[in-house]
Amino acid sequence: MKTIFILNGPNLNALGKREPGIYGGTTLADIEEDCRKAGAALGLEIDFRQSNHEGHLVDWIQEARDKAVGIVINAGAYTHTSIAIHDAIRSVSPLPVVEVHLSNIHAREAFRHTSMVAPVAVGMICGFGPLGYTLALQAIAARL
Ligand code: DQA
């Protein structure tokens, strides 16, 4: 079966407790469950991971080259700062990468308006909460 890596960056392990007014009450485990169901319906195996460490995300993007057919990534705050994640995604090209954010980063502080992931992603889904993850899976599946 084809595998999709779903990679989550810093502080996303705190979903459900973290700023619920912005991120809602859904936990990352709930989102993983949604993704597994959506993946099963699309015939995709889901490898769902989270780390607070930038280098782990870089390692996992590199690992995806041999183990996955696509990546869904919510890089959290590293989205706005990480040239290392940008370069890692470039290095696995043409593996399709879809960027996801729970919140609408463009309607928030100016420092969230820039994404280092967006220029190397197929596309970005933001502002739809947890639904964004399953939308991203559909977007990847449509390209395979
Ligand atoms: C986020 C948006 C980022 O700006 C923030 O740093 C996060 C979460 C989102 O999913 O809305 O950690 O990626």
Side-chain angles (χ1 to χ4, degrees):
M1 202 188 266
K2 292 174 176 167
T3 300
I4 305 289
F5 276 20
I6 303 183
L7 305 181
N8 294 280
N11 300 306
L12 292 166
N13 55 312
L15 281 181
K17 288 180 260 181
R18 172 193 184 199
E19 300 186 85
I22 295 174
Y23 298 114
T26 306
T27 67
L28 197 62
D30 296 331
I31 293 175
E32 179 173 359
E33 180 65 23
D34 288 350
C35 288
R36 289 199 187 285
K37 285 184 188 149
L42 293 163
L44 298 169
E45 187 167 324
I46 302 305
D47 191 330
F48 194 97
R49 307 181 188 188
Q50 187 274 332
S51 177
N52 292 326
H53 304 278
E54 186 177 17
H56 289 165
L57 295 164
V58 169
D59 287 343
W60 293 340
I61 291 163
Q62 292 181 4
E63 186 185 336
R65 176 197 282 283
D66 297 322
K67 296 192 181 161
V69 294
I71 299 173
V72 172
I73 185 165
N74 182 350
Y78 291 137
T79 302
H80 316 299
T81 60
S82 180
I83 297 170
I85 290 174
H86 172 103
D87 283 350
I89 293 171
R90 288 177 82 110
S91 81
V92 296
S93 176
L95 196 68
V97 175
V98 175
E99 177 179 4
V100 171
H101 300 284
L102 296 150
S103 63
N104 179 355
I105 58 174
H106 300 291
R108 299 183 63 193
E109 303 96 320
F111 63 83
R112 295 185 205 275
H113 297 179
T114 301
S115 169
M116 304 302 292
V117 175
V120 285
V122 172
M124 179 208 281
I125 297 166
C126 72
F128 297 104
L131 177 65
Y133 284 76
T134 50
L135 292 173
L137 279 175
Q138 285 177 40
I140 292 240
R143 283 181 69 94
L144 297 177

